[in-house]
Amino acid sequence: MLAGRTYREIGDAIYISPRTVEHHVARIRRRLGASSRSELISRMRIALGEESWTS
């Protein structure tokens, strides 16, 4: 997600359906209290530090 991949691209990379990826991302988003995918990504970038997602 941090690399800007779509649900389909993520699913293809780990051999699951895009719908399953979407489901897992939604669960993560709810657990972290993010109101949207973009907010989740912002929170993940902050938590991991900028150097983790730019490489």
Side-chain angles (χ1 to χ4, degrees):
M1 280 184 34
L2 294 178
R5 292 185 179 193
T6 64
Y7 293 139
R8 178 178 301 277
E9 291 168 334
I10 295 167
D12 287 347
I14 59 175
Y15 305 104
I16 60 175
S17 76
R19 182 77 172 125
T20 301
V21 174
E22 185 177 1
H23 173 75
H24 287 299
V25 169
R27 289 189 67 197
I28 294 166
R29 188 176 51 77
R30 282 193 303 269
R31 286 184 181 189
L32 295 179
S35 60
S36 65
R37 179 181 164 137
S38 60
E39 184 180 342
L40 173 61
I41 291 170
S42 293
R43 288 181 182 214
M44 291 172 67
R45 286 180 175 161
I46 291 167
L48 295 173
E50 188 171 328
E51 64 280 350
S52 295
W53 59 271
T54 57
S55 310

Coordinates of all heavy atoms in Angstrom, one line a residue:
M1 N 0.8 -1.2 0.0 CA 0.0 0.0 0.0 C 0.9 1.3 0.0 O 0.5 2.2 -0.7 CB -0.9 0.0 1.2 CG -2.1 -0.8 1.1 SD -3.3 -0.7 2.4 CE -3.2 0.9 3.0
L2 N 1.9 1.2 0.8 CA 2.8 2.4 0.8 C 3.4 2.8 -0.5 O 3.8 3.9 -0.7 CB 3.8 2.3 1.9 CG 3.3 2.2 3.4 CD1 4.5 2.0 4.3 CD2 2.5 3.4 3.7
A3 N 3.6 1.8 -1.3 CA 4.2 2.0 -2.7 C 3.1 2.4 -3.7 O 3.4 2.6 -4.8 CB 4.8 0.7 -3.1
G4 N 1.9 2.6 -3.2 CA 0.8 3.1 -4.1 C 0.2 2.0 -5.0 O -0.5 2.3 -6.0
R5 N 0.3 0.7 -4.5 CA -0.3 -0.4 -5.3 C -1.8 -0.5 -5.1 O -2.3 -0.2 -4.0 CB 0.4 -1.7 -4.9 CG 1.8 -1.8 -5.3 CD 2.4 -3.1 -5.0 NE 3.8 -3.1 -5.5 CZ 4.5 -4.2 -5.6 NH1 3.9 -5.4 -5.2 NH2 5.7 -4.2 -6.0
T6 N -2.4 -1.0 -6.1 CA -3.9 -1.2 -6.0 C -4.1 -2.5 -5.3 O -3.2 -3.3 -5.1 CB -4.5 -1.3 -7.4 OG1 -4.0 -2.4 -8.1 CG2 -4.2 0.0 -8.2
Y7 N -5.4 -2.7 -4.9 CA -5.8 -4.0 -4.3 C -5.4 -5.1 -5.2 O -5.0 -6.2 -4.8 CB -7.3 -4.0 -3.9 CG -7.6 -3.0 -2.9 CD1 -8.8 -2.3 -3.0 CD2 -6.9 -2.8 -1.7 CE1 -9.2 -1.4 -2.0 CE2 -7.2 -1.9 -0.7 CZ -8.4 -1.2 -0.9 OH -8.8 -0.3 0.1
R8 N -5.7 -4.9 -6.5 CA -5.4 -6.0 -7.5 C -3.9 -6.3 -7.5 O -3.5 -7.5 -7.5 CB -5.9 -5.6 -8.9 CG -5.6 -6.7 -9.9 CD -6.1 -6.3 -11.3 NE -7.5 -6.1 -11.3 CZ -8.4 -7.1 -11.4 NH1 -8.0 -8.4 -11.6 NH2 -9.7 -6.9 -11.4
E9 N -3.1 -5.3 -7.6 CA -1.6 -5.5 -7.6 C -1.1 -6.2 -6.3 O -0.3 -7.1 -6.4 CB -0.9 -4.2 -7.8 CG -1.1 -3.5 -9.2 CD -0.7 -2.1 -9.3 OE1 -0.6 -1.4 -8.2 OE2 -0.3 -1.7 -10.4
I10 N -1.6 -5.8 -5.2 CA -1.2 -6.4 -3.9 C -1.7 -7.9 -4.0 O -0.9 -8.8 -3.6 CB -1.8 -5.7 -2.7 CG1 -1.2 -4.3 -2.6 CG2 -1.6 -6.4 -1.4 CD1 -2.0 -3.3 -1.7
G11 N -2.9 -8.1 -4.3 CA -3.5 -9.5 -4.4 C -2.7 -10.4 -5.3 O -2.4 -11.5 -5.0
D12 N -2.3 -9.9 -6.5 CA -1.5 -10.7 -7.5 C -0.2 -11.0 -6.9 O 0.3 -12.1 -7.1 CB -1.3 -9.9 -8.8 CG -2.6 -9.8 -9.6 OD1 -3.5 -10.5 -9.3 OD2 -2.6 -9.0 -10.5
A13 N 0.4 -10.1 -6.1 CA 1.7 -10.3 -5.5 C 1.7 -11.4 -4.5 O 2.7 -12.1 -4.3 CB 2.3 -9.0 -5.0
I14 N 0.6 -11.5 -3.7 CA 0.6 -12.5 -2.6 C -0.5 -13.6 -2.8 O -0.9 -14.3 -1.9 CB 0.4 -11.8 -1.3 CG1 -0.9 -11.0 -1.2 CG2 1.6 -10.9 -0.9 CD1 -1.2 -10.3 0.1
Y15 N -1.0 -13.7 -4.1 CA -1.9 -14.8 -4.5 C -3.2 -14.8 -3.8 O -3.7 -15.9 -3.3 CB -1.2 -16.1 -4.4 CG 0.1 -16.1 -5.2 CD1 1.3 -16.0 -4.5 CD2 0.1 -16.1 -6.6 CE1 2.5 -16.0 -5.2 CE2 1.3 -16.1 -7.3 CZ 2.5 -16.0 -6.6 OH 3.7 -16.0 -7.3
I16 N -3.8 -13.6 -3.5 CA -5.2 -13.6 -3.0 C -6.0 -12.7 -3.9 O -5.4 -11.9 -4.7 CB -5.2 -13.2 -1.5 CG1 -4.6 -11.7 -1.3 CG2 -4.5 -14.2 -0.6 CD1 -4.7 -11.2 0.1
S17 N -7.3 -12.7 -3.7 CA -8.2 -11.8 -4.5 C -8.1 -10.4 -4.1 O -7.8 -10.1 -2.9 CB -9.6 -12.3 -4.5 OG -10.2 -11.9 -3.3
P18 N -8.3 -9.5 -5.0 CA -8.4 -8.0 -4.6 C -9.4 -7.8 -3.5 O -9.2 -6.9 -2.7 CB -8.8 -7.3 -5.9 CG -8.4 -8.3 -7.0 CD -8.5 -9.6 -6.4
R19 N -10.5 -8.5 -3.6 CA -11.5 -8.3 -2.5 C -11.0 -8.7 -1.2 O -11.3 -8.1 -0.2 CB -12.8 -9.1 -2.9 CG -13.9 -9.0 -2.0 CD -14.7 -7.7 -2.2 NE -15.9 -7.7 -1.4 CZ -16.2 -6.8 -0.5 NH1 -15.4 -5.7 -0.4 NH2 -17.3 -6.8 0.2
T20 N -10.2 -9.8 -1.1 CA -9.7 -10.2 0.2 C -8.7 -9.1 0.7 O -8.6 -8.8 1.9 CB -9.0 -11.6 0.0 OG1 -9.9 -12.5 -0.4 CG2 -8.4 -12.0 1.4
V21 N -7.9 -8.6 -0.2 CA -7.0 -7.5 0.2 C -7.8 -6.3 0.7 O -7.4 -5.8 1.8 CB -6.1 -7.0 -1.0 CG1 -5.3 -5.8 -0.6 CG2 -5.2 -8.1 -1.6
E22 N -8.8 -6.0 0.0 CA -9.7 -4.8 0.5 C -10.2 -5.1 1.9 O -10.2 -4.2 2.7 CB -10.8 -4.6 -0.5 CG -11.7 -3.4 -0.2 CD -12.7 -3.2 -1.3 OE1 -12.8 -4.0 -2.2 OE2 -13.5 -2.3 -1.1
H23 N -10.7 -6.3 2.1 CA -11.2 -6.7 3.4 C -10.1 -6.6 4.5 O -10.4 -6.0 5.6 CB -11.7 -8.2 3.4 CG -12.1 -8.7 4.7 ND1 -13.3 -8.3 5.3 CD2 -11.5 -9.6 5.5 CE1 -13.4 -9.0 6.5 NE2 -12.3 -9.7 6.6
H24 N -8.9 -7.1 4.3 CA -7.9 -7.0 5.3 C -7.5 -5.5 5.5 O -7.2 -5.1 6.7 CB -6.6 -7.8 4.8 CG -6.9 -9.3 4.9 ND1 -7.2 -9.9 6.1 CD2 -6.8 -10.2 4.0 CE1 -7.3 -11.2 5.9 NE2 -7.1 -11.4 4.6
V25 N -7.4 -4.7 4.5 CA -7.0 -3.3 4.6 C -8.1 -2.6 5.5 O -7.8 -1.8 6.3 CB -6.8 -2.6 3.3 CG1 -6.7 -1.1 3.4 CG2 -5.6 -3.2 2.6
A26 N -9.4 -2.9 5.2 CA -10.5 -2.3 6.0 C -10.4 -2.7 7.4 O -10.6 -1.8 8.3 CB -11.8 -2.7 5.4
R27 N -10.0 -3.9 7.7 CA -9.9 -4.3 9.1 C -8.7 -3.6 9.8 O -8.8 -3.1 10.9 CB -9.7 -5.8 9.2 CG -10.9 -6.6 8.9 CD -10.8 -8.0 9.2 NE -10.7 -8.2 10.6 CZ -10.2 -9.3 11.2 NH1 -9.8 -10.3 10.5 NH2 -10.2 -9.4 12.5
I28 N -7.6 -3.5 9.1 CA -6.4 -2.7 9.6 C -6.8 -1.3 9.9 O -6.5 -0.7 10.9 CB -5.2 -2.9 8.7 CG1 -4.7 -4.3 8.6 CG2 -4.1 -1.9 9.1 CD1 -3.8 -4.6 7.5
R29 N -7.5 -0.7 8.9 CA -7.9 0.7 9.0 C -8.8 0.9 10.2 O -8.6 1.9 11.0 CB -8.7 1.1 7.7 CG -9.0 2.6 7.6 CD -9.7 2.9 6.3 NE -10.8 2.1 5.9 CZ -12.0 2.2 6.5 NH1 -12.2 3.1 7.4 NH2 -13.0 1.5 6.0
R30 N -9.8 0.0 10.4 CA -10.6 0.2 11.6 C -9.8 0.0 12.9 O -10.1 0.8 13.9 CB -11.8 -0.9 11.6 CG -12.9 -0.5 10.6 CD -14.1 -1.4 10.8 NE -13.8 -2.8 10.6 CZ -13.9 -3.5 9.5 NH1 -14.3 -2.8 8.4 NH2 -13.6 -4.8 9.5
R31 N -8.9 -0.9 13.0 CA -8.2 -1.1 14.2 C -7.3 0.1 14.5 O -7.1 0.3 15.7 CB -7.3 -2.4 14.1 CG -8.1 -3.6 14.2 CD -7.2 -4.9 14.2 NE -8.0 -6.0 14.3 CZ -7.6 -7.3 14.5 NH1 -6.3 -7.4 14.6 NH2 -8.4 -8.3 14.5
L32 N -6.8 0.7 13.5 CA -5.9 1.9 13.7 C -6.7 3.2 13.8 O -6.1 4.2 14.1 CB -4.9 2.0 12.6 CG -3.9 0.8 12.6 CD1 -2.9 1.0 11.4 CD2 -3.1 0.7 13.9
G33 N -8.0 3.1 13.6 CA -8.9 4.3 13.7 C -8.8 5.3 12.6 O -9.1 6.5 12.8
A34 N -8.3 4.8 11.4 CA -8.2 5.7 10.3 C -9.6 5.7 9.6 O -10.2 4.7 9.5 CB -7.1 5.2 9.3
S35 N -10.0 6.9 9.1 CA -11.3 7.0 8.5 C -11.3 6.7 7.0 O -12.3 6.6 6.4 CB -11.9 8.4 8.7 OG -11.0 9.4 8.2
S36 N -10.1 6.6 6.4 CA -10.0 6.4 4.9 C -8.7 5.6 4.6 O -7.8 5.6 5.5 CB -10.0 7.7 4.1 OG -8.9 8.5 4.4
R37 N -8.6 5.1 3.4 CA -7.3 4.5 3.0 C -6.2 5.5 3.0 O -5.1 5.2 3.5 CB -7.5 3.9 1.6 CG -6.2 3.2 1.1 CD -6.4 2.6 -0.3 NE -5.1 2.3 -0.9 CZ -4.8 1.2 -1.5 NH1 -5.8 0.3 -1.7 NH2 -3.7 1.0 -2.0
S38 N -6.4 6.7 2.6 CA -5.3 7.7 2.5 C -4.9 8.1 3.9 O -3.7 8.3 4.2 CB -5.8 8.9 1.7 OG -6.9 9.5 2.3
E39 N -5.8 8.1 4.9 CA -5.4 8.4 6.3 C -4.6 7.3 6.8 O -3.6 7.5 7.6 CB -6.7 8.7 7.1 CG -6.3 9.1 8.5 CD -7.5 9.3 9.4 OE1 -8.6 9.5 8.9 OE2 -7.3 9.3 10.6
L40 N -5.0 6.0 6.5 CA -4.3 4.9 6.9 C -2.8 4.9 6.4 O -1.9 4.7 7.2 CB -5.0 3.6 6.5 CG -4.2 2.3 6.7 CD1 -4.0 2.1 8.2 CD2 -4.9 1.1 6.1
I41 N -2.7 5.2 5.2 CA -1.3 5.3 4.6 C -0.5 6.4 5.3 O 0.7 6.1 5.6 CB -1.4 5.5 3.0 CG1 -2.0 4.3 2.4 CG2 -0.1 5.9 2.5 CD1 -2.4 4.5 0.9
S42 N -1.1 7.5 5.5 CA -0.4 8.6 6.2 C 0.1 8.1 7.6 O 1.2 8.4 8.0 CB -1.3 9.8 6.4 OG -1.5 10.4 5.1
R43 N -0.8 7.5 8.3 CA -0.5 7.0 9.7 C 0.6 5.9 9.6 O 1.5 5.9 10.4 CB -1.7 6.4 10.3 CG -2.7 7.4 10.8 CD -3.9 6.8 11.5 NE -4.8 7.8 11.8 CZ -5.6 7.8 12.9 NH1 -5.5 6.7 13.7 NH2 -6.4 8.7 13.2
M44 N 0.6 5.0 8.6 CA 1.6 4.0 8.4 C 2.9 4.6 8.1 O 4.0 4.2 8.7 CB 1.2 3.0 7.3 CG 0.0 2.2 7.7 SD -0.6 1.2 6.4 CE 0.7 0.0 6.1
R45 N 3.0 5.6 7.3 CA 4.2 6.3 6.9 C 4.8 7.0 8.1 O 6.0 6.9 8.4 CB 4.0 7.3 5.8 CG 3.8 6.7 4.5 CD 3.5 7.7 3.4 NE 3.5 7.0 2.1 CZ 3.0 7.5 1.0 NH1 2.5 8.8 1.0 NH2 2.9 6.8 -0.1
I46 N 4.0 7.6 9.0 CA 4.5 8.3 10.2 C 5.0 7.2 11.1 O 6.1 7.4 11.7 CB 3.4 9.1 10.8 CG1 3.1 10.3 10.0 CG2 3.8 9.5 12.3 CD1 1.8 11.0 10.4
A47 N 4.3 6.1 11.3 CA 4.7 5.1 12.3 C 6.0 4.4 11.8 O 6.8 4.0 12.7 CB 3.6 4.1 12.4
L48 N 6.1 4.2 10.5 CA 7.3 3.4 10.0 C 8.5 4.3 9.8 O 9.6 3.9 9.6 CB 6.9 2.7 8.7 CG 5.9 1.6 8.9 CD1 5.5 1.0 7.6 CD2 6.4 0.5 9.8
G49 N 8.3 5.6 9.7 CA 9.3 6.6 9.3 C 9.5 6.7 7.8 O 9.3 5.7 7.1
E50 N 9.8 7.8 7.4 CA 9.8 8.1 6.0 C 10.8 7.2 5.2 O 10.5 6.8 4.1 CB 10.2 9.6 5.7 CG 10.1 10.0 4.3 CD 10.3 11.5 4.2 OE1 9.9 12.3 5.1 OE2 10.8 11.9 3.1
E51 N 11.9 6.9 5.8 CA 12.9 6.1 5.1 C 12.4 4.7 4.7 O 12.9 4.1 3.8 CB 14.2 6.0 5.8 CG 14.2 5.3 7.2 CD 13.6 6.1 8.3 OE1 13.4 7.3 8.2 OE2 13.3 5.5 9.4
S52 N 11.4 4.2 5.4 CA 10.9 2.8 5.2 C 10.1 2.7 3.9 O 10.1 1.7 3.3 CB 10.0 2.4 6.4 OG 10.8 2.3 7.5
W53 N 9.5 3.8 3.5 CA 8.6 3.7 2.3 C 9.2 4.4 1.1 O 8.6 4.2 0.0 CB 7.2 4.2 2.6 CG 7.1 5.6 3.1 CD1 7.2 6.0 4.4 CD2 7.0 6.8 2.3 NE1 7.1 7.4 4.4 CE2 7.0 7.9 3.2 CE3 6.8 7.0 0.9 CZ2 6.8 9.2 2.7 CZ3 6.6 8.3 0.5 CH2 6.6 9.3 1.3
T54 N 10.2 5.1 1.2 CA 10.8 5.8 0.0 C 11.8 4.9 -0.7 O 12.1 5.2 -1.9 CB 11.4 7.1 0.4 OG1 12.5 6.9 1.3 CG2 10.4 8.1 0.9
S55 N 12.3 3.9 -0.1 CA 13.3 3.0 -0.7 C 12.7 2.0 -1.6 O 11.7 1.5 -1.4 CB 14.1 2.3 0.3 OG 14.6 3.2 1.3

